[in-house]
Amino acid sequence: MNMQEHIEEGRSMVERLLASPQIPFKDPKTADMGDIPDKPGIYLFSSQTTEEPLYVGVGRSERGGIERRMKDHWSGSSSFIKRIKRLQDIANSKEWLEDNVSISWLTEDKLGMCLMHAEHFAIGALRPEHNQ
């Protein structure tokens, strides 16, 4: 694949990620979260009000895929949530997530490129506020 094809593939992946259904981020143990896949993939946290990208991440298969990462975020153990707590000066990250964050995702079979490359491309294209 030449450089131009690689860039086009990345753009297409970002467009599909942005067009994916957004659901409010709730406790992953509840039915409200829908069918969060336990497959590898890329996910996007967005503001519920502005739809502004907040954070892009990946869920790898050896770690339980996207579903496992959502549980990490919900538990407060992820770097994204620790950063939010610090910057927003919030005590209850679960409440903040429910009130402010939507999630969308693409599973690996829909990416067309490796996860790490997809994550880097999406971060570069979307410039989410909370990816460092």
Side-chain angles (χ1 to χ4, degrees), residues 1-18 42 106 110-114 117-126:
M1 178 179 292
N2 68 37
M3 182 61 80
Q4 186 61 35
E5 291 170 328
H6 183 70
I7 291 169
E8 289 305 316
E9 181 182 17
R11 281 189 188 136
S12 173
M13 180 270 308
V14 170
E15 288 172 5
R16 289 190 318 272
L17 182 60
L18 290 172
I42 187 169
L106 292 175
K110 296 180 182 177
L111 288 176
M113 57 175 61
C114 78
H117 198 102
E119 180 183 31
H120 291 298
F121 194 96
I123 290 170
L126 299 173

Side-chain angles (χ1 to χ4, degrees), residues 37-43 57-69 108 115-117 119-120:
D38 60 356
K39 301 197 268 187
I42 187 169
Y43 59 90
V58 297
R60 295 179 184 79
S61 59
E62 68 273 8
R63 295 186 182 147
I66 296 173
E67 180 182 48
R68 176 72 241 157
R69 291 298 294 139
E108 189 173 50
L115 282 176
M116 292 306 294
H117 198 102
E119 180 183 31
H120 291 298

